Amino acid sequence: MLLWVQRASNIFLISRFHAHHASSKSLPSYGPEAIWFTKVVYLLCYHHSQSLDVFGSDYFRHNLDPHIAFNVIHHINTNLNNPRLAFRFFQCTRINLNLVHSIGTFNLLLRSLCQMGCHDLATLVFKYMKADGYLVESSILESVVLALANAGKFGIAKEILSSEEGSIVRPFVHNSLLSLLMKRSRVDEAVDFFKDHILRSKRLFPDTCSFNIVIRGLCRVGGVDKAFEFFNDMGSFGCFPDIVTYNTLINGLGAVGQVDRARGLLTNLELQNGLSPDVVTYTSVISGYCKLGRMDEAINLVDEMITYGISPNLVTFNIVINGFGKIGDMFSAINMYGRMCAVGYPPDVVTFTSLIDGYCRTGELDQGLKLWDEMNTRNLSPNLYTFSVLIGALSKENRLNEARELLRQLKLRDDIVPQPFVYNPVVDGFCKAGNLNEANVIAVEMESKGCCHDKITFTILILGHCMKGRMLEAMAIFDKMLSLGCVPDDIAVSCLTSCLLKAGMAKEAYKVRLTSSKDLNPDLSSSKQSVPSLDIPVAV
């Protein structure tokens, strides 16, 4: 009944309008008649959204002009928020009625389709626009390219950006495209696009930011030498390095252990006019020295930056404290901690974690536990690495009940996503102590927290159950390991097969050896438990 009423209403609207204007050859583009006709067409789109064949008549061919079509599409977008329907109306009138749409219609469609994520349709409209001989406005081109890039359609975005020879594109557009490629770890693709399309283009002009994006991306993947090639070419394109460029390169050199080269770049920067190193510059070099354990040079650089009137910040102090802790020089670490507090920087969780880690490395575990209690007094919440450092140290000292209590505290923290390297030392400790039941409970807790067992976890559990002669459980753990796609190493396989043979289970031993031989990884180092190093980032 409702459908019949809608169709009757449509027929009434069209017939009334047609009778009123039957004497005229075509409708005016503006005025009351055009407004009325626009409403009629809009209502027909609304009621016949599944099929727009209603627009195939000669009546619409003679009376539907670009201005009215623009208004209809505007109404569809505004009232129905349905750019897909607007596109179908656009395509129907373009193909069936040979209507040449206005540049305003193309722009309107492109914007609305991109905003709604209809990127494939937007690309098609863009191609229609070029086919109809329109020059694409720079702002529209930029919107389409950025929308496609944000949607991950980099190939189409680059193709469009490179093909529009008539539009001058602002640098922020290709810079945004480069940044998105870098963030998605498509460094080689970004570098090729920058080199082949931007640097060689006569309308995509790079700026210092463009070079900085590429240099930063290369440094993050260890391509420092390649980054320096672009650094050396900046002047050829009228671009000059700024402090961000130098900080990026210095940080990149430090990350690959070329600290002396980073120090030389810092010295060159100090000698230049117009640019001065800042706290990030110095901290990057200091971090490099600390990672190599060259603490004397790190401290000398701290004193130098103070001499130049640049105050170390919290990150600088934390890096130096962590560096002293790594080499076991807790006297110097505490001294630096005192300097930090004296200049007004309160310690944060990174500071305490570095100090706790240092005490644990020097065998002063109780001092580390005192700092843990002081953190609570200061209302500082420990992070994942704080838990990891203490749990690993307690497990190493066979203080398993204390380590177990810390795991219980970690279980209550919803803001921390636990990792296997936190649990593995405790599981290993209980296995070696012969308490397999507790080790199994902890393994179940890991999974309940969304922490999947890794190769080390499985290997620890397999060895523990083998040593206690619980071969069926060891086999079950091994099978689970394989079912999850975790490839066992030769330690787990050798131990399991050996114990199975001793238990008279030769058939099962053969099965284990046969199953694991295809994917066996002989790297023994993978079975050694280690706590990730606490690297304090330097903002660049």
Side-chain angles (χ1 to χ4, degrees), residues 8 13 61 97 102 105 137 153 209 211 213-214 250 328 341 349 351 375 380 406 409 414 429 434 481 519 524-525:
L13 285 170
R61 189 184 307 276
L97 304 182
S102 67
T105 299
E137 294 180 8
K153 299 180 181 294
C209 181
F211 280 96
I213 293 168
V214 175
I250 288 172
C341 295
V349 61
T351 315
M375 286 183 67
L380 282 175
L406 287 183
Q409 293 182 32
D414 293 330
M481 182 181 188
D519 300 309
L524 299 181
S525 64

Side-chain angles (χ1 to χ4, degrees), residues 73-106:
I73 291 174
H74 175 73
H75 282 306
I76 293 173
N77 284 337
T78 303
N79 300 325
L80 303 181
N81 194 27
N82 190 348
R84 289 184 179 273
L85 177 58
F87 170 79
R88 287 174 52 224
F89 171 76
F90 160 84
Q91 192 174 42
C92 172
T93 54
R94 187 177 189 275
I95 296 173
N96 296 339
L97 304 182
N98 294 320
L99 180 64
V100 179
H101 288 275
S102 67
I103 183 66
T105 299
F106 280 104

Side-chain angles (χ1 to χ4, degrees), residues 455 488-491 519-526:
K455 184 184 294 188
D489 57 24
D490 64 344
I491 292 181
D519 300 309
L520 188 62
N521 179 8
D523 184 9
L524 299 181
S525 64
S526 64

Side-chain angles (χ1 to χ4, degrees), residues 30-86:
Y30 302 92
E33 296 88 349
I35 294 173
W36 175 254
F37 186 59
T38 299
K39 291 180 179 179
V40 171
V41 176
Y42 164 72
L43 287 172
L44 286 172
C45 288
Y46 175 74
H47 291 306
H48 293 269
S49 59
Q50 299 303 315
S51 175
L52 299 180
D53 293 339
V54 66
F55 296 113
S57 68
D58 288 339
Y59 181 75
F60 289 102
R61 189 184 307 276
H62 292 307
N63 291 293
L64 195 59
D65 67 10
H67 177 75
I68 292 174
F70 172 85
N71 287 330
V72 171
I73 291 174
H74 175 73
H75 282 306
I76 293 173
N77 284 337
T78 303
N79 300 325
L80 303 181
N81 194 27
N82 190 348
R84 289 184 179 273
L85 177 58

